[in-house]
């Protein structure tokens, strides 16, 4: 169950600068759509949805 704080936290601006990690660690995050598709597939595979 979501609390009002959880909803607020999900709705707020969660954009972070990862340029230092990209430059120093070769960090390249995946896109949102790819990540969500993989999450849904995993949830289905494990019987959670």
């Amino acid at each position: 169950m979501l609390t009002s704080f959880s909803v607020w936290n999900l709705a707020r601006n969660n954009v972070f600068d990862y340029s230092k990690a990209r430059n120093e660690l070769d960090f390249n995050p995946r896109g949102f759509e790819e990540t969500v598709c993989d999450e849904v597939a995993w949830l289905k595979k494990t019987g959670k949805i």
Side-chain angles (χ1 to χ4, degrees):
M1 189 157 181
L2 292 175
T3 65
S4 58
F5 175 75
S6 297
V7 173
W8 172 82
N9 205 24
L10 289 169
R12 70 189 182 104
N13 183 2
N14 289 308
V15 177
F16 301 96
D17 178 12
Y18 64 90
S19 59
K20 184 175 181 180
R22 181 185 61 230
N23 295 333
E24 295 182 14
L25 304 172
D26 197 29
F27 174 69
N28 292 302
R30 300 175 346 145
F32 177 78
E33 186 174 337
E34 180 185 7
T35 302
V36 170
C37 287
D38 285 351
E39 177 70 15
V40 170
W42 178 81
L43 289 169
K44 288 179 178 178
K45 180 179 175 183
T46 59
K48 298 188 185 328
I49 59 172

